[in-house]
Amino acid sequence: MKKVISYIVLIFIIASCSSDNSYKIDGTLYGGASFEGETIYMVSFGSSSVEDQDSAVIRNGRFHFEGSVDQPEVCELRMRPMMRLFIDKLVLIKEPGHVWVTLSKQSVAHGTALNDSLQQWREYKTKVDSVMYALSKKLKHAEGEEQEALEQEYDEVRHDFTKHNKEVVQRNDNVFGDYIDRYVR
């Protein structure tokens, strides 16, 4: 019986050691040559602590992060404050696998399941924001029945977006769902 238990424990140890928790993040910047030597910071989402940061220097318009992660974690890639006028910060999920990033005014990330889901959500949100912006511009000049119709349309778009987000949270019992849940509040 001791041998059987020893073998089971050994198999469990080997199986847990063989799981690959490594991640790679390869990125490029729009207008990369003009950012040569600048630093990209990877920060835990919602944290301003220096201890929660990793950094990479931009070389030939590219940057690279790699390491291991025990659990998927929501992070931000960002530059020093002055550079944020040109390059938008990017929320991504640090998870096992290979993520490709393009930093620009509308940064994107893809390559792993959670980052692909986050990118789809981000694209949906961009479309909703565009529609809501156009409606609010029209509302400034509308009166009477036209104003009422535009207000109703605006409320429907906002309601649909909230409903969509709640469905995303329900379908995703993971860090992606948690992030959207926090974002919606």
Side-chain angles (χ1 to χ4, degrees):
M1 185 67 172
K2 277 185 169 181
K3 285 185 177 183
V4 171
I5 292 174
S6 295
Y7 285 124
I8 291 173
V9 169
L10 180 62
I11 290 171
F12 178 74
I13 290 171
I14 291 171
S16 64
C17 290
S18 67
S19 68
D20 187 11
N21 291 339
S22 65
Y23 70 89
K24 289 182 183 179
I25 300 170
D26 283 308
T28 58
L29 281 87
Y30 179 78
S34 57
F35 297 105
E36 189 70 18
E38 288 287 340
T39 303
I40 302 288
Y41 299 96
M42 182 166 47
V43 182
S44 296
F45 183 75
S47 174
S48 58
S49 171
V50 176
E51 295 169 3
D52 292 338
Q53 292 186 10
D54 193 0
S55 63
V57 176
I58 300 165
R59 300 279 182 241
N60 299 317
R62 300 182 179 283
F63 62 92
H64 177 81
F65 291 95
E66 69 178 84
S68 63
V69 60
D70 294 327
Q71 296 179 32
E73 175 187 2
V74 179
C75 295
E76 287 181 351
L77 292 181
R78 59 185 179 208
M79 298 178 75
R80 64 185 172 95
M82 187 58 147
M83 296 295 104
R84 294 182 206 161
L85 295 172
F86 312 104
I87 301 293
D88 192 24
K89 69 180 179 180
L90 175 67
V91 174
L92 61 78
I93 299 173
K94 183 169 59 171
E95 65 176 315
H98 198 156
V99 180
W100 287 272
V101 170
T102 302
L103 296 181
S104 66
K105 278 291 192 185
Q106 292 185 325
S107 299
V108 297
H110 63 89
T112 59
L114 293 176
N115 281 293
D116 290 348
S117 296
L118 181 57
Q119 185 60 38
Q120 286 177 334
W121 177 84
R122 191 180 291 119
E123 290 168 5
Y124 174 76
K125 181 188 178 309
T126 299
K127 289 177 185 174
V128 169
D129 288 348
S130 178
V131 169
M132 291 181 79
Y133 177 75
L135 288 171
S136 18
K137 279 183 76 172
K138 289 179 183 177
L139 268 167
K140 287 182 182 178
H141 306 290
E143 295 178 2
E145 288 180 16
E146 181 187 16
Q147 181 179 3
E148 288 177 24
L150 288 170
E151 286 172 349
Q152 182 177 355
E153 187 177 353
Y154 184 92
D155 288 342
E156 286 173 8
V157 170
R158 187 174 40 145
H159 177 268
D160 289 346
F161 181 62
T162 301
K163 181 180 173 187
H164 173 79
N165 289 336
K166 287 179 181 179
E167 290 169 358
V168 166
V169 170
Q170 289 173 347
R171 286 191 314 265
N172 293 278
D173 186 21
N174 52 39
V175 296
F176 167 58
D178 293 345
Y179 169 74
I180 300 302
D181 190 36
R182 280 188 284 166
Y183 184 86
V184 172
R185 289 183 194 173

